[in-house]
Amino acid sequence: MSHTAVIGAGAFGTSLAIALSLNGAPVTLWCRDDETAETMRRGRKSPRRLPGHDLPKSLAISGNLAEIEADTLLIAVPMQSLATFLAAAPDWSGRTLVACCKGIDRQTGLGPVATLKAKAENSNAALITGPSFATDIARGLPTALTLAAETEARALSLQATLSRPALRLYRTTDTVGAELGGALKNVIALAAGMAIGAGFGDSARAAVIARGFAEMTRYAVAKGAHPETLQGLSGLGDLVLTCTSDKSRNFSAGVAFGRGDQPDMTSTIEGIATAEALATEASAQNLNLPLTIAIHAVATGKMAVEDAVGALLSRPVKQE
């Protein structure tokens, strides 16, 4: 049986490690330091990142990145840290690296798979994305995700290695569509949260989701994605979850913006960085991304929520 490692013991990485190791499969979870690893080994819990969930006895926990010898490594670090992390990582040539993050690097404009290919050139790049919350995965609740790899053979192999009864992985070779679906939905979730936080109501949120999905699809297809990918788990499925649940960090941040408050920036809010990257690209290339540009303006304090909504509503009405 092949050995799998999860690199990153945040909530999502830890939940994946729990799910993958429940059947006794050899799985290692890597933490950033030996002290945290030892605490988790002794208590079989992750009190800071994923409280209330036990770590299976079969799950190995390590604080030494150099000792990880797994064939498949799930890289569960935030998107804005991925390039820096990979630049300092050991030589993983020949191994399969599966990004488990969502977003677009604000410095390079690259998504997770493209970043893996740029920073770990001799490895095999793949991506897991889609509608999921860490607590649901850790509890063993049914979760369906997209597994994207560049070849059908690699996607099939990873699907067999990583699928579990409650963790269903649907494969695709459209890595561009999968990574853009996971990134762009966070921007729209900010907008949906702003609509609720500002008191515009559920009908306004539904309009944001619908128009946001159209904007997501338009941009992704222009980048080479297949439209059916955006209609699946990594696009529409993730969009609906993220725009309708208080457990979504991006939605909750949008609610705070809508109320005139500052969101909690100690947690990862990928939609803010992604909106920045897309707004910069839209300005340079004259792209039609009105919702994204408005969200970036609100998030950076350049526009009030009410003014952003007014600007969007003043756009000419046309055939849908």
Side-chain angles (χ1 to χ4, degrees), residues 146 177 181-182 185 213 216 229-240:
T146 295
K185 61 89 185 180
F213 180 64
M216 286 171 56
T229 304
L230 276 294
Q231 295 163 11
L233 291 165
S234 59
L236 182 60
D238 211 355
L239 177 67
V240 171

Side-chain angles (χ1 to χ4, degrees), residues 79 82-83 86 99 101-106 108-118 127 175-176 179-180 183:
M79 183 64 227
L82 182 60
L86 291 170
C101 55
K102 302 171 184 178
I104 295 176
D105 189 306
R106 54 159 52 104
T108 65
L110 299 178
V113 174
T115 299
L116 288 179
K117 292 171 65 178
L127 172 70
T175 57
V176 173
E179 65 180 4
L180 287 180

Side-chain angles (χ1 to χ4, degrees), residues 77-111:
V77 301
M79 183 64 227
Q80 301 308 318
S81 304
L82 182 60
T84 302
F85 173 82
L86 291 170
D91 182 6
W92 285 329
S93 297
R95 304 198 209 183
T96 298
L97 307 185
V98 184
C100 300
C101 55
K102 302 171 184 178
I104 295 176
D105 189 306
R106 54 159 52 104
Q107 299 297 325
T108 65
L110 299 178

Side-chain angles (χ1 to χ4, degrees), residues 112-179:
V113 174
T115 299
L116 288 179
K117 292 171 65 178
K119 296 296 182 179
E121 298 178 3
N122 297 319
S123 63
N124 303 313
L127 172 70
I128 286 178
T129 186
S132 57
F133 289 130
T135 54
D136 293 346
I137 294 175
R139 290 173 59 194
L141 299 179
T143 303
L145 299 173
T146 295
L147 169 65
E150 292 187 300
T151 67
E152 178 70 5
R154 188 166 299 137
L156 274 167
S157 177
L158 283 170
Q159 188 179 42
T161 298
L162 301 175
S163 291
R164 298 292 185 269
L167 186 65
R168 298 179 59 82
L169 300 180
Y170 291 83
R171 69 183 185 274
T172 180
T173 56
D174 182 12
T175 57
V176 173
E179 65 180 4

Side-chain angles (χ1 to χ4, degrees), residues 249 252-267 269 272 298-301:
R249 291 188 297 265
S252 296
V255 171
F257 281 126
R259 291 173 176 167
D261 300 329
Q262 185 66 21
D264 178 13
M265 300 302 291
T266 61
S267 60
I269 306 172
I272 294 176
V298 172
T300 53

